[in-house]
Amino acid sequence: MSDKEVLISMGFDPARIDWALRATNNNGLQPAMDFILEHNDDPIPDATSAAPATSSAEPQGEDDEEDASALGLQLGAVADAGVEARSIKCSQCGKIFKNTALANFHAEKSGHDQFEESTDDIKPLTEEEKKQKLEELREKMSEKRTRKAAEEAKEAKANELIRRKAGKEAAQIKEDMKNKQILKDLEAKRREKENDKKARAAVKAKIEADKRERAQKAAEEKAIRDGTATAASTTAATRTAPAPAVAAITAPATTSLPGREFKDTRLQIRLASGGQPLTTTLPSDSTLRHVAEFVAGQSLTVDVDTVTFTQQFPRKQFSSSDFSRTLRDLGLTPSAVLIAS
């Protein structure tokens, strides 16, 4: 069986085998196997571009002299002694090679640079030696595949760790964005609920004001029907007269009716936050809470449960305990100026 057939039986690519045999000048199974192991991962060059192999096993011509010079070998040293040189020997490891091409190959692999001519013959490998070489080659190839598989597994593990870390970071970023969105939605709902509450309070105050206005109109119509012109004219005057100044409102009343006889009370309410004063006319039997509901309905900055009222002339301050008392009981009839805060 030829060297090529032996290598093919081992499962090597025929093109790679041809390359190895060309590179080693067909100088045996061992050099070809060493070459395949050395260049197993290298691309196979084009056979037409490869240098033609020499058929001679012995150094010939100027090229062989150059090879011998590169190996530190003095050609003809054995011949000058009257003995025929049959091989080339590495002075550093003792290996024997058939020609300078194989010696050069050994020098490139091992880094050895001291060679000499030798009279020793290189015997061809026996079948047993070939089998041993094949077994050694299989072991080397198996070790190389094992190392390569371990390196690939290590690289795959590192890539998997990187992928998991990137996925974990992306998941954390996504979770943070989700939490921020939840907080944003909760804040928007809180503001919407607060605005709805204020809007409902304003609507409620408006309804109450409308009810009081209808009751006031009904009382006026009843007074006209009953012939109590003085009360009716007083009510009409308070509805049509412009808002008086503070001094005018707090001046003693010129009417002959006592305070408890006024059915309606005209109020001017100033907001501590500023803006135009609010004016309204309420039945004297209305409570101070009705006034608070009216103010809350006109301004979203005022809350019915927390608003307080102050009267400048005479100086009085009304607390939440006064909300259940009527305007008449609080001495605010027939008119008064209040500051809401």
Side-chain angles (χ1 to χ4, degrees), residues 44-186:
I44 301 174
D46 188 1
T48 59
S49 63
T54 59
S55 59
S56 175
E58 299 297 332
Q60 295 180 1
E62 294 180 359
D63 292 339
D64 289 335
E65 290 179 359
E66 292 178 359
D67 291 341
S69 176
L71 291 171
L73 177 67
Q74 182 64 42
L75 296 178
V78 176
D80 291 343
V83 183
E84 182 181 359
R86 298 180 179 275
S87 59
I88 299 174
K89 181 178 181 180
C90 177
S91 302
Q92 294 173 261
C93 65
K95 287 187 177 181
I96 300 175
F97 305 97
K98 192 172 182 180
N99 54 35
T100 56
L102 295 178
N104 272 324
F105 181 71
H106 172 73
E108 292 176 0
K109 286 181 57 180
S110 63
H112 296 170
D113 57 0
Q114 298 297 324
F115 295 85
E116 60 183 358
E117 291 180 333
S118 173
T119 58
D120 295 335
D121 285 329
I122 299 177
K123 297 180 180 180
L125 296 176
T126 63
E127 290 299 323
E128 185 66 26
E129 290 173 337
K130 287 183 179 180
K131 290 180 181 180
Q132 183 179 356
K133 292 290 185 181
L134 289 175
E135 188 63 28
E136 291 176 357
L137 181 59
R138 289 191 182 99
E139 290 179 358
K140 290 180 180 179
M141 294 295 295
S142 177
E143 291 176 359
K144 189 171 184 179
R145 292 191 188 100
T146 301
R147 287 195 303 270
K148 186 175 181 180
E151 291 174 357
E152 290 177 351
K154 184 178 179 180
E155 183 178 356
K157 184 177 180 180
N159 292 336
E160 179 65 16
L161 290 176
I162 294 174
R163 186 189 66 78
R164 289 184 180 180
K165 183 178 179 181
K168 186 176 181 181
E169 291 176 351
Q172 185 63 41
I173 293 173
K174 186 176 180 180
E175 184 67 20
D176 292 343
M177 293 179 65
K178 182 179 179 181
N179 292 335
K180 289 180 179 179
Q181 186 62 38
I182 290 174
L183 293 176
K184 185 177 179 180
D185 293 342
L186 290 175

Side-chain angles (χ1 to χ4, degrees), residues 1-37 39-40 42-45 47 50 53 134 137 141:
M1 183 181 293
S2 65
D3 294 341
K4 181 175 181 179
E5 292 172 344
V6 172
L7 294 172
I8 290 176
S9 66
M10 295 178 64
F12 291 111
D13 181 22
R16 191 170 294 278
I17 294 172
D18 291 338
W19 179 31
L21 293 174
R22 287 197 309 271
T24 58
N25 291 325
N26 295 303
N27 284 319
L29 182 63
Q30 181 62 42
M33 288 190 296
D34 291 342
F35 186 89
I36 291 175
L37 285 176
H39 302 280
N40 186 53
D42 297 341
I44 301 174
L134 289 175
L137 181 59
M141 294 295 295

Side-chain angles (χ1 to χ4, degrees), residues 70-328:
L71 291 171
L73 177 67
Q74 182 64 42
L75 296 178
V78 176
D80 291 343
V83 183
E84 182 181 359
R86 298 180 179 275
S87 59
I88 299 174
K89 181 178 181 180
C90 177
S91 302
Q92 294 173 261
C93 65
K95 287 187 177 181
I96 300 175
F97 305 97
K98 192 172 182 180
N99 54 35
T100 56
L102 295 178
N104 272 324
F105 181 71
H106 172 73
E108 292 176 0
K109 286 181 57 180
S110 63
H112 296 170
D113 57 0
Q114 298 297 324
F115 295 85
E116 60 183 358
E117 291 180 333
S118 173
T119 58
D120 295 335
D121 285 329
I122 299 177
K123 297 180 180 180
L125 296 176
T126 63
E127 290 299 323
E128 185 66 26
E129 290 173 337
K130 287 183 179 180
K131 290 180 181 180
Q132 183 179 356
K133 292 290 185 181
L134 289 175
E135 188 63 28
E136 291 176 357
L137 181 59
R138 289 191 182 99
E139 290 179 358
K140 290 180 180 179
M141 294 295 295
S142 177
E143 291 176 359
K144 189 171 184 179
R145 292 191 188 100
T146 301
R147 287 195 303 270
K148 186 175 181 180
E151 291 174 357
E152 290 177 351
K154 184 178 179 180
E155 183 178 356
K157 184 177 180 180
N159 292 336
E160 179 65 16
L161 290 176
I162 294 174
R163 186 189 66 78
R164 289 184 180 180
K165 183 178 179 181
K168 186 176 181 181
E169 291 176 351
Q172 185 63 41
I173 293 173
K174 186 176 180 180
E175 184 67 20
D176 292 343
M177 293 179 65
K178 182 179 179 181
N179 292 335
K180 289 180 179 179
Q181 186 62 38
I182 290 174
L183 293 176
K184 185 177 179 180
D185 293 342
L186 290 175
E187 179 63 20
K189 288 181 179 179
R190 185 191 67 78
R191 290 196 301 267
E192 183 179 356
K193 186 176 181 181
E194 183 177 350
N195 292 336
D196 289 344
K197 182 180 178 181
K198 291 181 178 180
R200 286 194 297 270
V203 171
K204 184 177 179 181
K206 180 65 174 174
I207 292 173
E208 292 295 330
D210 291 343
K211 286 182 179 179
R212 288 190 293 271
E213 185 176 354
R214 288 195 296 270
Q216 179 181 347
K217 288 182 179 179
E220 291 175 358
E221 292 174 357
K222 186 174 183 293
I224 293 173
R225 288 195 302 270
D226 292 343
T228 55
T230 304
S233 61
T234 303
T235 302
T238 56
R239 291 175 58 86
T240 59
V246 175
I249 292 176
T250 57
T254 58
T255 179
S256 61
L257 292 175
R260 290 187 173 273
E261 296 300 325
F262 288 100
K263 294 182 179 181
D264 299 296
T265 301
R266 181 173 180 80
L267 298 174
Q268 184 184 82
I269 303 166
R270 298 180 179 179
L271 301 179
S273 58
Q276 291 293 330
L278 304 175
T279 58
T280 185
T281 301
L282 300 175
S284 297
D285 292 331
S286 300
T287 63
L288 189 60
R289 183 173 184 84
H290 292 152
V291 180
E293 291 176 351
F294 168 74
V295 176
Q298 300 298 318
S299 175
L300 295 179
T301 61
V302 175
D303 188 272
V304 176
D305 298 324
T306 60
V307 65
T308 60
F309 295 101
T310 304
Q311 186 180 25
Q312 296 288 355
F313 306 102
R315 178 70 177 181
K316 288 183 182 180
Q317 185 168 2
F318 305 101
S319 62
S320 58
S321 61
D322 298 320
F323 276 26
S324 60
R325 300 178 62 186
T326 65
L327 301 179
R328 181 181 290 110

